């Protein structure tokens, strides 16, 4: 095996000329600065395709799922086109999203990208006290990211004025329609100026989305990121699996997976330089021998890293896509996607690092539950199944470690020259039983294989929710406005109670308040926001009273029907 560094590691990726950089897309300097400081090395495919037409003011219809980088694909051009230092306080951009969670996430992205432009960004959604939103709107904003229900409330109150809008974005439009927001979206678009730019992103393109686009978009550019063609050369000799894991547990999950898989050498792909540096440090802290590889390093630094990997003094390479392009390391047995890659093509490139020349490789993807759909897209495009497995438990890990020790001892028995050690065993058997001597020796061998910090914490399992509507912060409409639930909101922790009946069963907020106050000691003032979706409702109540509310509602009927009542799963997840 050749352990010396190869002088042919690419200084510049072979296909660099074909790959537009962010600067080539014509974005202003403040945005390029923000992208550099975030460690984004190159635009994702959707960004490459969507940013130029959006900068030119065209309407756009894009098919792309979460994880493709679609937020930056629309946020960057909107920020680029935003007039700086406006005196006017009415928003120039409105982004409509299906959930509270996404409203917060998208507005954070706008903040990050637009920090040097002084962009004023406001998320508005049901469940948050309306007073705070009123004050913020009153101070003036550039970009509003809203769930449709709450946006319409503000429009009706005259607190959200759409007269200055240059662009409206409908993000995750299919989800918004699934959640029954079609009428709200129509009503909002009616209030927007006729000459505005309209952008629609959707993971799927059912006829209803096409209809919406036909009605509200003018001569849109169409972009489809999931190309329905098999990608040539998708490596068949690669075992592919994925684990669903919450973001906070990813480093532990990576450690667990590596311990169980025990790769000879693995490459872990991250999205940005920052993540590469952070993860390398974390993994070294956990006792792995990790090296970073990204586009910000000189060729000399990269050669050194590759040399250490080939020589076996490092066994984990943490890299960005750009840096790893063209890499060919014979020892690599495992590819880990620390995040789901932004496009199926990039997945295929990544897993192509292993399983070469007839050798078998393993590709593992750590996906957050919300990225599950992107996994499905990758499966469809590559025509290969990605098995979604449970994160190995502590017990699984122990079992696996024993197996590895047993295999190592077995191998030694079959292959090694053990004679030099005979004297030690013989002298010990004067004092101890032979079995005891063997046990002690195996134990020493076993312990020598454990990483620096043995990781014995269970990693929580997370599931993809079967019902898309049951997502955090699903916002139908908070009709209670700022009046109700003062106590629930002002002091103490609150809990969301899930009730399995919604608009379709004719449930209105007053029915829920009536049922709760009639069955429990809880008063109307204790009840916080009420969100009613098509098939379920969420009610915010003080945590201390949640059990009483649940018991009370389980024992009664709402609109003459029995309903499933429980703590909202997301609420418990978030704690
Ligand atoms: P999205 O599909 O918009 O939810 O984005 C998925 C993730 O990719 C987010 O965490 C972004 O911060 C990240 N991201 C977006 N564009 C890039 C890029 N060009 N390079 C690296 N990371 C990116």
């Amino acid at each position: 095996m050749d352990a010396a560094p190869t002088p042919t590691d690419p200084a510049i990726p072979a296909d660099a000329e074909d790959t537009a950089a962010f600067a080539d897309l014509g974005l202003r300097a403040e945005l390029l600065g923000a992208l550099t400081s975030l460690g984004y090395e190159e635009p994702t495919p959707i960004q490459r395709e969507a940013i130029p037409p959006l900068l030119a003011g065209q309407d756009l219809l894009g098919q792309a799922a979460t994880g493709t980088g679609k937020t930056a694909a629309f946020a960057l051009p909107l920020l680029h086109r935003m007039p700086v230092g406006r005196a006017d306080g009415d928003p120039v951009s409105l982004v409509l999203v299906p959930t509270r969670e996404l409203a917060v996430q998208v507005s954070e992205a706008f903040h990050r990208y637009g920090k040097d432009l002084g962009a004023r960004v406001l998320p508005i959604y049901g469940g948050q006290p309306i007073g705070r939103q009123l004050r913020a709107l009153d101070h003036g904003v550039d970009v509003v990211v809203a769930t449709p229900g709450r946006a319409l409330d503000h429009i009706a109150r005259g607190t959200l004025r759409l007269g200055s809008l240059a662009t409206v974005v409908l993000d995750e439009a299919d989800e918004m329609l699934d959640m029954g927001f079609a009428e709200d979206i129509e009503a909002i678009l009616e209030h927007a100026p006729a000459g505005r730019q309209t952008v629609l992103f959707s993971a799927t393109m059912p006829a209803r989305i096409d209809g919406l686009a036909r009605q509200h978009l003018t001569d849109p550019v169409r972009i489809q990121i999931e190309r329905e063609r098999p990608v040539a050369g998708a490596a068949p000799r690669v075992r592919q699996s994925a684990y669903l894991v919450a973001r906070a547990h990813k480093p532990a999950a990576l450690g667990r997976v590596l311990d169980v898989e025990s790769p000879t050498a693995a490459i872990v792909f991250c999205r940005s330089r920052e993540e590469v540096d952070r993860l390398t440090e974390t993994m070294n802290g956990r006792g792995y021998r990790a090296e970073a590889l990204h586009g910000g390093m000189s060729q000399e630094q990269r050669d050194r890293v590759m040399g250490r990997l080939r020589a076996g003094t490092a066994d984990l390479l943490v890299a960005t896509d750009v840096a790893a392009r063209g890499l060919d390391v014979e020892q690599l047995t495992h590819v880990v996607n620390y995040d789901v890659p932004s496009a199926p093509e990039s997945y295929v490139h990544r897993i192509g690092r292993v399983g070469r020349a007839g050798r078998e490789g393993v590709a593992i993807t750590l996906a957050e539950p919300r990225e599950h759909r992107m996994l499905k897209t990758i499966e469809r495009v590559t025509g290969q199944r990605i098995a979604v497995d449970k994160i190995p438990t502590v017990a699984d890990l122990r079992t696996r470690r024993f197996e590895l020790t047993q295999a190592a001892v077995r191998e030694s028995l079959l292959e090694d020259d053990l004679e030099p050690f005979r004297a030690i065993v013989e002298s010990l058997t004067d004092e101890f039983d032979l079995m005891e001597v063997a046990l002690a020796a195996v134990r020493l061998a076993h312990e020598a294989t454990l990483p620096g910090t043995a990781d014995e914490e269970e990693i929580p399992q997370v599931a993809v929710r079967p019902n898309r509507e049951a997502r955090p912060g699903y916002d139908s409409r908070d009709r209670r406005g700022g009046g109700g639930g003062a106590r629930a909101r002002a002091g103490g922790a609150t809990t969301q109670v899930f009730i399995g009946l919604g608009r379709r069963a004719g449930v209105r907020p007053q029915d829920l308040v009536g049922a709760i106050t009639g069955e429990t000691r809880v008063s109307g003032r204790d009840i916080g926001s009420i969100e009613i979706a098509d098939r379920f409702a969420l009610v915010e109540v003080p945590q201390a009273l949640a059990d009483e509310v649940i018991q009370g509602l389980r024992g009664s009927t709402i609109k003459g029907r029995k309903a499933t009542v429980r703590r909202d799963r997301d609420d418990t997840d978030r704690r």
Side-chain angles (χ1 to χ4, degrees), residues 22 40 42-44 47 65-71 113 271 370:
F22 277 112
Y40 289 11
E42 59 171 1
T44 64
Q47 291 160 5
T66 296
T68 52
K70 70 176 159 61
T71 312
Y113 305 139
R271 283 195 176 122
R370 68 189 180 92

Side-chain angles (χ1 to χ4, degrees), residues 205-541:
M205 281 291 158
R208 289 190 312 154
I209 294 287
D210 224 40
L212 190 69
R214 233 174 299 120
Q215 200 178 339
H216 296 286
L217 273 58
T218 312
D219 202 11
V221 175
R222 286 170 186 263
I223 292 176
Q224 189 179 359
I225 277 311
E226 47 169 332
R227 293 187 189 98
E228 299 283 349
R229 59 175 166 76
V231 177
R237 291 185 61 85
V238 177
R239 164 165 64 90
Q240 300 172 53
S241 58
Y243 296 100
L244 292 183
V245 59
R247 179 130 214 111
H249 298 291
K250 276 199 173 178
L254 176 60
R256 179 70 49 85
V257 167
L258 291 172
D259 289 349
V260 169
E261 292 281 340
S262 62
T264 310
I267 183 164
V268 181
F269 282 101
C270 294
R271 283 195 176 122
S272 67
R273 292 177 190 181
E274 269 55 43
E275 199 162 58
V276 164
D277 286 336
R278 226 178 10 247
L279 188 62
T280 307
E281 214 178 296
T282 309
M283 296 316 283
N284 279 318
R286 285 172 166 263
Y288 299 88
R289 298 178 308 166
E291 295 278 352
L293 190 76
H294 59 60
M297 296 163 58
S298 70
Q299 184 60 27
E300 208 187 329
Q301 286 171 316
R302 290 169 176 227
D303 284 346
R304 267 204 302 273
V305 166
M306 295 314 299
R308 283 197 283 271
L309 195 72
R310 291 197 170 93
T313 52
D315 36 32
L316 202 59
L317 191 62
V318 186
T320 55
D321 286 291
V322 170
R325 224 167 256 157
L327 262 190
D328 189 6
V329 184
E330 202 187 325
Q331 289 89 335
L332 279 184
T333 50
H334 288 63
V335 166
V336 182
N337 295 304
Y338 194 64
D339 297 288
V340 178
S342 56
E345 289 79 359
S346 142
Y347 179 86
V348 173
H349 280 141
R350 287 178 177 189
I351 71 170
R353 302 296 118 222
V354 291
R356 294 185 155 198
R359 278 174 279 127
E360 189 147 342
V362 179
I364 290 166
T365 303
L366 301 182
E368 288 174 58
R370 68 189 180 92
E371 292 170 325
H372 185 250
R373 191 180 264 188
M374 189 62 186
L375 280 182
K376 291 274 155 229
T377 303
I378 293 171
E379 277 189 332
R380 212 164 42 241
V381 173
T382 59
Q384 295 184 16
R385 212 175 103 65
I386 303 174
V388 177
D389 292 332
K390 287 205 159 109
I391 291 273
T393 61
V394 172
D396 292 337
L397 177 61
R398 287 201 190 123
T399 309
R400 175 72 179 141
R401 281 178 177 155
F402 281 132
E403 282 170 7
L404 289 173
T405 301
Q406 186 175 350
V409 173
R410 191 158 201 284
E411 201 172 315
S412 173
L413 282 166
L414 290 174
E415 292 183 4
D416 291 346
D417 174 12
L418 300 172
E419 267 318 300
F421 303 99
R422 181 175 295 278
I424 299 181
V425 175
E426 279 177 357
S427 88
L428 284 168
T429 46
D430 290 345
E431 205 180 332
F432 301 96
D433 177 60
L434 187 57
M435 175 59 105
E436 282 175 320
V437 175
L439 289 175
V442 169
R443 180 200 172 128
L444 284 177
H446 183 70
E447 286 176 354
T449 63
L450 298 182
T453 49
D455 175 17
E456 301 284 294
E457 294 263 312
E458 287 298 0
I459 299 166
Q461 306 282 349
V462 287
V464 187
R465 20 206 75 249
N467 175 357
R468 282 206 270 161
E469 288 180 355
R471 288 178 38 162
Y474 165 58
D475 168 67
S476 173
R477 181 102 32 108
D478 176 9
R479 293 184 192 279
R480 291 173 56 83
R487 228 190 311 157
R489 284 167 181 161
T494 60
T495 289
Q496 300 255 59
V497 173
F498 171 97
I499 297 148
L501 286 176
R503 216 180 285 150
R504 291 208 182 148
V507 172
R508 297 160 307 162
Q510 54 268 42
D511 302 319
L512 297 173
V513 174
I516 293 170
T517 54
E519 296 296 326
T520 64
R521 290 175 301 150
V522 178
S523 79
R525 286 175 50 79
D526 286 317
I527 301 173
S529 68
I530 296 183
E531 298 168 28
I532 300 189
D534 273 348
R535 284 186 290 271
F536 70 88
L538 295 173
V539 181
E540 184 188 17
V541 298

Side-chain angles (χ1 to χ4, degrees), residues 143-176:
V143 181
V144 167
V145 184
T147 50
R150 189 49 83 89
L152 210 50
D153 279 352
H154 277 287
I155 292 170
R157 283 168 184 253
T159 44
L160 176 60
R161 289 173 296 275
L162 306 186
S164 304
L165 280 188
T167 308
V168 175
V169 179
L170 308 177
D171 191 17
E172 302 206 351
D174 50 353
E175 293 253 349
M176 289 200 281

Side-chain angles (χ1 to χ4, degrees), residues 71 95-111 121-126 128 133 143-148 150 171-172 471-473 475:
T71 312
V95 182
L96 293 176
V97 295
T99 64
R100 170 167 74 198
E101 181 198 43
L102 198 60
V104 171
Q105 211 172 292
V106 169
S107 66
E108 282 172 0
F110 268 98
H111 263 294
V121 188
L122 179 69
I124 60 178
Y125 47 82
Q128 189 195 39
Q133 298 174 353
V143 181
V144 167
V145 184
T147 50
R150 189 49 83 89
D171 191 17
E172 302 206 351
R471 288 178 38 162
D475 168 67

